[in-house]
Amino acid sequence: MPDSSPKSYLVTGCAGFIANEVASQLLAAGHRVVGIDNVNDYYDVRLKEHRLEKLTSQGDAFSFVRGDIEDASTLRKIFDENSFDAVLNLAARAGVRYSMENPHVYMTTNAMGSLNLLDQMQRVGVKKYVLASTSSLYAGQPMPFVETLSVNTPISPYAASKKAAEAMAYSYHHLYDIDVSVCRYFTVYGPAGRPDMCIFRFIKWIDEGTPIELFGDGEQSRDFTYVSDIASGTIAAVQPVGYEVINLGGGGTPVSLNDIIGRLENLLGKKAKVEHKTFHKADVKTTSADISKAKELIGWTPKIELDEGLAASVDWYRANQTWSSELKLP
């Protein structure tokens, strides 16, 4: 685990689902966090503002910049005014299907934004970079997915933009001795989750009686990973590694969407209505993470079981139902 003495971190995308939990855990551990987020309207900004309130309520060790990592001048100012021990880059355009509708913004945020951060780190001498990447890169590879697999054939602009960010990070490691941990996330879920992801959508649709839009037969499966586990793994990856790609996933047997729907029906006490649609060619049928490297290299294993995580997700939805039920889905 990283040195526990107080440090200063830049966390990008801090109004987003995972980065918000990362920043929260760092603050709880006594560190100082500067967060940046452009709070874009890809999904309902009320959810992003809700997450930001969680950070501002944790005290003066958190400061927030409403800005964009695509803006080099904004980043220059942040790096001039602060001395960071590490940069954790979780700002991203996410989602496979939407990346087909708007590929340019994926490339500018996920690849150029990452380059802008690396450039500032090189300029002022910050030596540790943690990059959030994706299991989507493993599409078509044999399972369980291991970090040594070749991932040179991404099947969506989203995955391609993340591959570009990984490659540029390696270049800066090689040229400027920046220590890089690339964390490839596997289907993250939990309270205040992204409303374009299946867990949030299924909870909302089952609860309100809206038919679930299910692409394919529902037997596609995922290696679901609870958000607090993903965040703790991301923070563990701050330690020096050289340049390493690290899977952060549940590491168990992948669970089908039909199974997830059944578990949520039990938690909500309601039956789901299901509307089947054609399976999307940019989607991955199954994901399964080999997480042995994470355990050996950074001492991380996930702790939250699926049923516990789903119950916490439903509890959050119900506790915030006065507005969470009204959130517009992308």
Side-chain angles (χ1 to χ4, degrees), residues 79-263:
F79 278 83
D80 283 344
E81 293 176 354
N82 298 275
S83 179
F84 296 118
D85 292 284
V87 172
L88 294 85
N89 181 23
L90 288 88
R93 296 289 183 147
V96 167
R97 291 188 201 114
Y98 187 66
S99 74
M100 296 173 66
E101 296 174 30
N102 197 352
H104 295 88
V105 75
Y106 278 71
M107 202 64 185
T108 54
T109 300
N110 298 355
M112 283 301 298
S114 184
L115 171 58
N116 288 343
L117 288 162
L118 288 162
D119 215 31
Q120 291 302 317
M121 290 174 66
Q122 181 270 134
R123 181 176 70 86
V124 301
V126 180
K127 288 298 187 181
K128 181 66 199 188
Y129 186 58
V130 180
L131 172 66
S133 192
T134 176
S135 61
S136 295
L137 282 167
Y138 292 119
Q141 304 277 8
M143 290 189 302
F145 299 140
V146 64
E147 294 89 345
T148 51
L149 287 168
S150 169
V151 290
N152 296 320
T153 54
I155 65 169
S156 68
Y158 168 57
S161 68
K162 283 296 193 179
K163 174 66 176 177
E166 289 188 9
M168 189 61 75
Y170 183 82
S171 297
Y172 271 67
H173 162 70
H174 176 75
L175 292 171
Y176 307 112
D177 201 30
I178 292 174
D179 195 278
V180 177
S181 298
V182 175
C183 297
R184 288 183 183 156
Y185 297 155
F186 284 72
T187 314
V188 190
Y189 75 102
R194 276 181 25 218
D196 61 331
M197 295 190 71
C198 69
I199 302 292
F200 188 105
R201 296 165 89 89
F202 290 173
I203 292 171
K204 178 175 165 62
W205 285 336
I206 293 170
D207 183 63
E208 66 190 19
T210 300
I212 288 174
E213 294 178 3
L214 196 57
F215 293 85
D217 60 5
E219 283 305 300
Q220 61 265 47
S221 56
R222 294 289 180 266
D223 198 336
F224 289 94
T225 321
Y226 193 65
V227 64
S228 64
D229 283 331
I230 286 285
S232 67
T234 303
I235 293 167
V238 168
Q239 61 194 280
V241 297
Y243 178 96
E244 293 289 348
V245 176
I246 306 163
N247 287 340
L248 298 182
T253 304
V255 177
S256 75
L257 297 188
N258 289 331
D259 188 343
I260 291 290
I261 290 168
R263 296 183 197 218

